Each structure stands twice: as structure tokens, then as C-alpha cells.
Amino acid sequence: MTAPLLPEHAMSCSTIPAGEPWLAEVKAGQTLRILDLEGNQAIDTLFYSTANPRERYDVQRTLRNQGNVYLGAGSVLYSNLGRPMLTITEDTCGRHDTLGGACAQESNSVRYALDKRHMHSCRDNYLRACCHDGRLGKRDISPNINFFMNVPVTPEGGLTFEDGISGAGKYVQLRAEMDVMVLISNCPQLNNPCNGYNPTPAQVLVWD
């Protein structure tokens, strides 16, 4: 049995404030842990090949290859070139959405009300992080993973946004199969229950 990874042995540990973005690199073979510090927080995440950022996480290939619309322990995340990018090695939550997408000004307006358009969104977060880094741009924002977000698929094939099933200290752990850039929006959404109507901090740890 593999010994648990201890936070004090991590090579890096970053706390992402509520509603803020984060962008960093993880090397092949390293382990990434995304931690829901206070519970019921959606953490919208994208992955890109460091060597070629045009190669990125691909929801269609990932779901087709695993035959399941939900991600969990054992799931392999594939790129748009059909290569494994990361493998989920541990999951203490049990539900991660890869269909609902990231909130944006436009979706806030359509789903909720026109006066919600001005509210901060995950798409805005992604663009803020991209502007500071320079390697990614608007065209690189593609369908993402919503870690810890509960989006059941209805019998009719629709999606519903429900209360999260995560809790304080729940985490998902991934092994990088290639050098990747990890782009996170610690979701600022206030209009649906994905964050319990109260965005909270998240933490990201990396081990060699």
C-alpha cells in the first residue's frame, strides 16, 4: 500500500483565494492535489501541454474513453491529440462535473438575469490569468472540468445544478502523465448552489 502524501512534504503549496484564478506548471510524474478547504466549493480547471499549449484537455475523448460522464478515481484525462495528460489517483469527494462548463458574463445573463451580467465569472478569471502569463489567450479557453461540482444528468439528457456533495478537506489527486499547465478558476459564482452561495478558498499542492 502506498504511503499517503503529507502536506509538509509537498514541494509547493498554494492557497487560491475565493473567486480568484491560479496558473502553474506540473511536471510529468508529479502529483497534484486540489483541495476543497471549507467544502462545497467548485474549482473550475483546465489543463494544457506545457510543450504545446494548443494540446489541451478534451472532454469528448475523456468521456468516450472511460464510458462515464463523471470523473473519479481511475479516470484518465485525455488531450485533443488523444494522449493521456493526467490520471486521477485518489478522490475523496466522488463527484466531479465535466459537462456544465465555466460560468461567464453571457451565461450569468441567460441563466439568471440581465443584471447579473456584471458579476465576476470563471471565464473572466481564466482571461485574467492568461493575460499575466502570455502563453495562453482567449482562443485557448475550452470546455473545463468543475472539480467538486454536482451537475446531475437528467433522464432526458439535460443538466441540473445541485448542492455540492463535497466537504471541508475533500480532495482530488492527479498524476501528471506529461508536463502540463494547470489553469484554475476558484469559482466566484453566487447564483447557483455549486459554491453554497458563498465562494471559499481552495488549496493546491504538488509533490515530486
Side-chain angles (χ1 to χ4, degrees), residues 95-106:
R95 174 62 61 88
H96 307 283
D97 165 61
T98 193
L99 296 174
C103 58
Q105 288 186 350
E106 295 78 9

Side-chain angles (χ1 to χ4, degrees), residues 90-143:
E90 290 188 37
D91 174 22
T92 64
C93 175
R95 174 62 61 88
H96 307 283
D97 165 61
T98 193
L99 296 174
C103 58
Q105 288 186 350
E106 295 78 9
S107 63
N108 282 340
S109 300
V110 171
R111 288 175 180 165
Y112 310 114
L114 187 60
D115 64 4
K116 307 296 185 184
R117 181 179 174 84
H118 74 282
M119 297 181 75
H120 194 39
S121 70
C122 286
R123 186 170 178 82
D124 292 336
N125 270 346
Y126 289 150
L127 294 176
R128 287 170 59 204
C130 290
C131 287
H132 287 300
D133 181 82
R135 289 174 293 178
L136 300 172
K138 187 174 182 179
R139 69 175 182 172
D140 297 308
I141 307 305
S142 54

Side-chain angles (χ1 to χ4, degrees), residues 3-12 33 173 205-207:
L5 296 174
L6 301 176
E8 56 266 32
H9 296 159
M11 63 165 292
S12 68
R33 178 183 293 174
Q173 201 158 279
L205 301 96
V206 178
W207 288 265

Side-chain angles (χ1 to χ4, degrees), residues 18 38-41 187-190 192-201:
E38 299 183 27
N40 209 27
Q41 173 63 25
C187 184
Q189 184 59 256
L190 293 169
N192 72 50
C194 68
N195 296 331
Y197 305 101
N198 177 39
T200 54

Side-chain angles (χ1 to χ4, degrees), residues 20-168:
E20 291 297 310
W22 183 85
L23 176 63
E25 294 181 18
V26 176
K27 301 292 186 182
Q30 290 182 329
T31 294
L32 167 73
R33 178 183 293 174
I34 302 174
L35 178 66
D36 186 359
L37 283 174
E38 299 183 27
N40 209 27
Q41 173 63 25
I43 302 174
D44 294 36
T45 308
L46 286 166
F47 298 102
Y48 304 86
S49 163
T50 303
N52 173 22
R54 303 293 84 77
E55 183 176 6
R56 64 198 66 175
Y57 166 74
D58 187 303
V59 57
Q60 289 90 353
R61 282 181 172 82
T62 297
L63 299 190
R64 183 171 63 244
N65 286 344
Q66 73 167 0
N68 195 325
V69 296
Y70 302 116
L71 301 177
S75 295
V76 178
L77 311 184
Y78 286 88
S79 76
N80 57 335
L81 299 184
R83 299 200 299 160
M85 300 189 78
L86 303 101
T87 300
I88 298 179
T89 55
E90 290 188 37
D91 174 22
T92 64
C93 175
R95 174 62 61 88
H96 307 283
D97 165 61
T98 193
L99 296 174
C103 58
Q105 288 186 350
E106 295 78 9
S107 63
N108 282 340
S109 300
V110 171
R111 288 175 180 165
Y112 310 114
L114 187 60
D115 64 4
K116 307 296 185 184
R117 181 179 174 84
H118 74 282
M119 297 181 75
H120 194 39
S121 70
C122 286
R123 186 170 178 82
D124 292 336
N125 270 346
Y126 289 150
L127 294 176
R128 287 170 59 204
C130 290
C131 287
H132 287 300
D133 181 82
R135 289 174 293 178
L136 300 172
K138 187 174 182 179
R139 69 175 182 172
D140 297 308
I141 307 305
S142 54
N144 61 287
I145 299 170
N146 296 309
F147 286 114
F148 310 109
M149 190 167 169
N150 185 20
V151 184
V153 178
T154 68
E156 297 76 28
L159 302 177
T160 62
F161 295 87
E162 305 291 344
D163 288 335
I165 60 175
S166 184

